[in-house]
Amino acid sequence: FNAEGINPQIIENYDGSDIALNKEQNIVLKVEEFPNLKNYISKTLITTDGTTLLGSDDKSGIVEIIEAVKYLKEHPEIKHGDIKMAFGPDEEIGRGADYFDVKEFAADYAYTMDGGPVGELEYESFNAAQATFKIKGVSVHPGTAKGKMINAGLIASEIIQMFPKDEVPEKTEGYEGFYLLHNMQARIEEAEMVYIIRDHDKEKFLARKKFAEEVAAKINEKYGNVVEYELYDQYYNMGDVIKEDKRCVDVAEQAIKNAGVTPIIIPIRGGTDGSKISYMGIPTPNIFVGGENFHGQYEFSCLEHMIKAADTIVEIAKLAKK
């Protein structure tokens, strides 16, 4: 979503009603559409003006890390070991951690501040892959096309119908995986479709990748090698690494409790930099930042919950010293 010209709005003592983000364009954050707003009555919310995203994912995390470090510097009586920070771009497309220097960072474990609502603690992520179908058609004048035309757009439509209709993001939750048609462009002579494949379970993930490959093979068998199929893995479930030594999770869970918050341990229906960094050698669970509705005009953050996130970092520093 548009990220230029961000104009944050601050709503103090939120009363639980609809929020007019932009009166001129009639853009409203409606409780009927986002009932999660009811969780923020009496809190201070930071919203967009309806024309951009807010960037809380992950400006909130940056602010919370810096605020926690500032607090520790101002309170030298709090004993702690070495604390290291890293900030990186392009996390959402799974490439942000590609150049992360684990050896230089030299930490026993780490945390990404990249979660959602207050209390969330996540150490399981999706296994993720991207599959691309490039379809080569044959364009012929429709008046003389019989037996000659191969319509790449119609083949793309046929591929869509071959995927399970209920295994999509809008019909799955929790540990359920999915296939997502991420984008597509099609003409008679050529088409390209990009799917993303997600599952927490490694065996199911492998089966999903095999299924997508078989779809391409079946189309090629039917039409004669019209599909060029490409697949690459994006990241893996960090839980498969972290479950071998969950000290980092135990510390974070206790830190959240010490900050006066009830921990909510759930799987990420996505990935974070921690997905890759965990496989690089530093177990890296994910912690809440106090925001919701990321990546769009209805994004918002809660000030009080951001403060709790910063408090959690401070508590981790205390506990890690012991």
Side-chain angles (χ1 to χ4, degrees):
F1 202 78
N2 175 36
E4 295 184 0
I6 296 174
N7 181 33
Q9 302 183 96
I10 298 175
I11 300 165
E12 297 180 345
N13 196 26
Y14 171 60
D15 62 7
S17 62
D18 293 350
I19 299 173
L21 300 177
N22 194 305
K23 293 182 180 179
E24 292 182 358
Q25 300 185 33
N26 194 31
I27 301 173
V28 180
L29 181 56
K30 298 180 180 179
V31 176
E32 181 180 3
E33 296 176 1
F34 300 99
N36 49 327
L37 284 167
K38 290 291 187 180
N39 298 326
Y40 296 92
I41 293 174
S42 80
K43 304 297 185 185
T44 300
L45 297 184
I46 305 168
T47 74
T48 75
D49 68 359
T51 64
T52 72
L53 52 68
L54 181 63
S56 176
D57 185 13
D58 197 19
K59 292 176 184 174
S60 292
I62 295 171
V63 168
E64 291 153 5
I65 291 169
I66 294 174
E67 192 69 20
V69 171
K70 177 173 177 286
Y71 183 87
L72 289 170
K73 286 175 70 67
E74 292 172 349
H75 292 80
E77 72 276 9
I78 298 176
K79 303 302 180 183
H80 59 81
D82 292 341
I83 298 174
K84 302 180 180 182
M85 299 172 288
F87 303 94
D90 302 326
E91 170 266 334
E92 296 301 344
I93 58 175
R95 299 176 183 172
D98 285 352
Y99 301 100
F100 186 77
D101 193 329
V102 168
K103 185 176 180 180
E104 181 181 1
F105 202 65
D108 294 327
Y109 52 86
Y111 300 94
T112 49
M113 300 301 298
D114 191 32
V118 65
E120 282 189 356
L121 171 59
E122 301 150 325
Y123 69 91
E124 298 173 281
S125 60
F126 275 140
N127 294 291
Q130 177 174 301
T132 302
F133 298 83
K134 296 180 180 179
I135 307 163
K136 189 67 176 177
V138 176
S139 182
V140 180
H141 189 287
T144 58
K146 186 174 182 179
K148 302 172 186 176
M149 178 183 287
I150 299 176
N151 192 324
L154 289 179
I155 293 176
S157 176
E158 187 173 341
I159 289 174
I160 292 171
Q161 296 303 313
M162 294 172 74
F163 279 85
K165 293 178 175 56
D166 291 331
E167 296 181 22
V168 291
E170 59 268 35
K171 294 185 179 181
T172 54
E173 62 184 353
Y175 286 98
E176 297 171 332
F178 60 75
Y179 304 95
L180 171 63
L181 176 58
H182 191 269
N183 56 275
M184 180 178 77
Q185 53 184 359
R187 299 191 301 276
I188 293 172
E189 64 271 19
E190 62 181 5
E192 181 171 313
M193 313 165 67
V194 176
Y195 273 86
I196 60 172
I197 300 169
R198 301 289 189 265
D199 211 298
H200 289 93
D201 183 272
K202 178 59 73 70
E203 294 303 316
K204 291 180 180 179
F205 175 61
L206 294 174
R208 288 186 182 281
K209 292 196 293 181
K210 184 177 180 181
F211 174 84
E213 184 178 357
E214 289 173 347
V215 166
K218 289 176 181 178
I219 291 294
N220 279 332
E221 183 179 354
K222 181 176 181 179
Y223 292 100
N225 296 322
V226 297
V227 175
E228 178 185 339
Y229 178 74
E230 300 173 353
L231 181 141
Y232 72 90
D233 291 349
Q234 296 170 302
Y235 55 83
Y236 301 112
N237 185 354
M238 61 187 179
D240 292 339
V241 173
I242 294 174
K243 68 183 180 183
E244 299 297 327
D245 183 356
K246 292 178 63 179
R247 285 178 298 171
C248 55
V249 177
D250 296 339
V251 167
E253 184 177 6
Q254 187 60 53
I256 292 171
K257 291 178 181 178
N258 291 355
V261 176
T262 300
I264 304 170
I265 301 178
I266 57 173
I268 307 171
R269 287 187 59 77
T272 72
D273 277 350
S275 301
K276 283 193 173 181
I277 295 170
S278 292
Y279 275 87
M280 290 173 162
I282 302 177
T284 307
N286 190 43
I287 294 174
F288 70 93
V289 296
E292 296 203 48
N293 299 350
F294 297 147
H295 298 185
Q297 67 198 117
Y298 300 114
E299 187 178 8
F300 66 87
S301 284
C302 172
L303 176 61
E304 290 83 356
H305 294 172
M306 290 176 66
I307 292 171
K308 288 296 184 181
D311 290 346
T312 297
I313 298 171
V314 171
E315 292 301 321
I316 287 173
K318 293 178 183 178
L319 291 169
K321 173 61 177 174
K322 293 180 180 178

